[in-house]
Amino acid sequence: MQHSAVPELAHTHTRPIHWVATATALAAVVAASALLQPDEATAVQHGTEAKAAPAAAAPPDPARADFPLDCGPAKVLVQKKASGDLDGDGLPETAAVVRCEAGSGTPPSGVYVLTGAGGASKPRVVATLVDPQDRLSVGDFALRDAAVTATLFGYSSPDVPSCCPDVNEEAKWEWRNGAFVRSTPPAARSM
């Protein structure tokens, strides 16, 4: 058996004082980290990402809005919603896909833009991007880079049954010169 060239060291045997010293050092580090906090973040976004960033005001709630949609005895159903600053004024708007609630079938959808802070004021419709009278349904729906995009399903003629839309198109709306302008994104396609 070979003996160690280094004699046994006293600090290799733990004693209660070692544990007390370790606990005291750890408590000091925790206390110091609690007292020393970094300054608040002051980052600012620029460009198109800034327009989609959430604003300080709450976005309009579509559940509180009155939509120009006649559903008779059926309820108005908000299918999808997305919020962001669409017009660059620093306040959020909400785009909502709305249709009448139906027990069966797929009633046409409307796409509306709402404005009005989420506080005491009631949201109001400021733009109709898709009118339910156009007999379109909305598939994919998003708000990115200050633009609303949607996949629209429709009919090539009145003879096509309501169950089976045969037209598929991509649409994009952007705020330009005081109005929403519709365009077709580059990847648009038809069925």
Side-chain angles (χ1 to χ4, degrees), residues 2 11 14 17 23 41 44 55 57-58 62 64-66 69 94 108 114 120 124 126 150 159 167 173 184:
Q2 184 175 3
H11 69 276
T14 58
I17 191 69
V44 177
R64 297 180 51 222
D66 292 326
L69 190 62
T94 297
L114 304 170
R124 59 187 173 86
V126 294
D159 298 330
V167 175
W173 295 269
T184 303

Side-chain angles (χ1 to χ4, degrees), residues 21-137:
T22 301
T24 303
L26 183 60
V29 168
V30 170
S33 67
L35 293 175
L36 301 173
Q37 295 293 317
D39 292 337
E40 289 187 25
T42 57
V44 177
Q45 290 183 338
H46 298 285
T48 57
E49 296 84 15
K51 292 181 181 178
D61 181 6
R64 297 180 51 222
D66 292 326
F67 294 98
L69 190 62
D70 182 16
C71 292
K75 293 181 183 178
V76 172
L77 177 67
V78 177
Q79 290 183 292
K80 302 173 185 186
K81 65 180 180 176
S83 297
D85 185 4
L86 291 171
D87 58 4
D89 67 353
L91 298 173
E93 287 79 33
T94 297
V97 177
V98 181
R99 69 174 174 93
C100 296
E101 188 173 47
S104 63
T106 306
S109 300
V111 178
Y112 302 99
V113 177
L114 304 170
T115 190
S121 66
K122 186 172 185 171
R124 59 187 173 86
V125 175
V126 294
T128 301
L129 305 180
V130 174
D131 193 323
Q133 292 181 358
D134 296 335
R135 294 185 59 213
L136 297 172
S137 297

Side-chain angles (χ1 to χ4, degrees), residues 147 150 174 191:
E174 293 179 280
M191 291 171 67

